[in-house]
Amino acid sequence: KSGRKRCYARLQRVLGGRLNATWSVWSEAAFEAFWAGTGRWAAHLNLHKECGHAQSSHNPVVFRTSLLLSRGATVISERAYYKDEHEYAGLVTFGAVDALPSILEQRLIRGST
């Protein structure tokens, strides 16, 4: 398994059915269909390919993040390259993988009030 899949499995054990992966959005048309269906209602979680490894925190924020943010999405990410974290401060919530379930809960609670 890749680091991302291991991290996803860890998060799924904690979050259960509230965690839903989308692996098939590879084109503009697929993104539009995803967004119109469930994407606009979801909190979006970014996990790096090497998720959970020390070097993972050196990874950049992926290009999809800007697309999601431009639509007003809630984005939560595994720790990233420090310059990206600075650039996206206030727009993306960053945390260690083990902290992501509680970060997600807090963001959802804030979003519902």
Side-chain angles (χ1 to χ4, degrees), residues 8 10 19 22 32 42-44 62 86 94-95 104-105 107:
Y8 183 84
R10 280 173 41 200
L19 186 63
T22 302
E32 293 300 334
H44 300 271
V62 294
H86 179 75
F94 294 94
L104 180 60
E105 291 290 335
R107 291 290 305 202

Side-chain angles (χ1 to χ4, degrees), residues 60-92:
V61 173
V62 294
F63 70 92
R64 289 179 292 274
T65 301
S66 295
L67 180 59
L68 291 167
L69 290 172
S70 73
R71 300 285 180 106
T74 296
V75 179
I76 299 167
S77 178
E78 174 187 11
R79 301 303 309 228
Y81 183 57
Y82 76 97
K83 288 184 178 181
D84 283 350
E85 286 194 19
H86 179 75
E87 188 74 24
Y88 285 93
L91 300 171
V92 175

Side-chain angles (χ1 to χ4, degrees), residues 12-110:
Q12 194 165 43
R13 282 192 294 274
V14 176
L15 296 169
R18 295 177 293 167
L19 186 63
N20 181 20
T22 302
W23 307 101
S24 60
V25 178
W26 295 103
S27 69
E28 185 176 345
F31 178 81
E32 293 300 334
F34 162 73
W35 189 259
T38 59
R40 67 178 179 253
W41 308 113
H44 300 271
L45 180 63
N46 176 54
L47 298 174
H48 303 301
K49 186 176 182 179
E50 297 86 18
C51 182
H53 295 277
Q55 70 270 20
S56 182
S57 65
H58 300 292
N59 285 327
V61 173
V62 294
F63 70 92
R64 289 179 292 274
T65 301
S66 295
L67 180 59
L68 291 167
L69 290 172
S70 73
R71 300 285 180 106
T74 296
V75 179
I76 299 167
S77 178
E78 174 187 11
R79 301 303 309 228
Y81 183 57
Y82 76 97
K83 288 184 178 181
D84 283 350
E85 286 194 19
H86 179 75
E87 188 74 24
Y88 285 93
L91 300 171
V92 175
T93 304
F94 294 94
V97 173
D98 290 336
L100 294 177
S102 63
I103 290 170
L104 180 60
E105 291 290 335
Q106 288 300 314
R107 291 290 305 202
L108 293 176
I109 290 168
R110 268 190 274 159

